[in-house]
């Protein structure tokens, strides 16, 4: 199972744009997010989210649409 999970994450990472933090940092140093029940989005908990290619501001909150972060946060609650 872990091998399949790693393969899925690597597949998602290959589709990320070059400026994506996950590609730069490596998935083991991922940014902090929280699943808030929105389809395709997680809440961004980073202070410096403005330099992320996936951030979106709605209201007074910042959300992340990174496929890797969304997949991990929603599937594994981390």
């Amino acid at each position: 199972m872990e091998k399949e999970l790693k393969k899925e994450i690597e597949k998602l990472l290959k589709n990320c744009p070059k400026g994506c933090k996950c590609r730069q940092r490596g998935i083991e140093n991922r940014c902090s997010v929280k699943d808030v029940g929105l389809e395709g989005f997680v809440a961004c908990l980073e202070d410096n989210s403005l330099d992320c290619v996936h951030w979106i501001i709605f209201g007074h909150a910042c959300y992340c649409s990174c496929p890797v972060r969304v997949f991990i946060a929603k599937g594994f609650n981390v």
Side-chain angles (χ1 to χ4, degrees):
M1 179 67 174
E2 189 173 313
K3 188 176 182 180
E4 290 177 21
L5 173 63
K6 186 175 180 179
K7 189 175 181 178
E8 181 65 27
I9 291 172
E10 287 174 1
K11 180 178 150 189
L12 290 170
L13 277 173
K14 287 180 183 177
N15 293 325
C16 284
K18 291 190 186 252
C20 181
K21 282 187 173 185
C22 291
R23 286 181 76 174
Q24 293 170 351
R25 289 180 171 180
I27 199 61
E28 59 278 348
N29 296 315
R30 62 189 178 268
C31 54
S32 299
V33 298
K34 178 181 176 184
D35 184 15
V36 290
L38 295 172
E39 182 73 30
F41 294 92
V42 289
C44 179
L45 304 176
E46 295 285 313
D47 289 334
N48 59 347
S49 58
L50 293 176
D51 63 349
C52 178
V53 298
H54 294 287
W55 73 279
I56 298 167
I57 294 178
F58 184 75
H60 295 288
C62 184
Y63 297 94
C64 178
S65 64
C66 174
V68 175
R69 295 303 294 127
V70 171
F71 175 77
I72 293 172
K74 291 187 178 293
F76 304 97
N77 229 7
V78 293

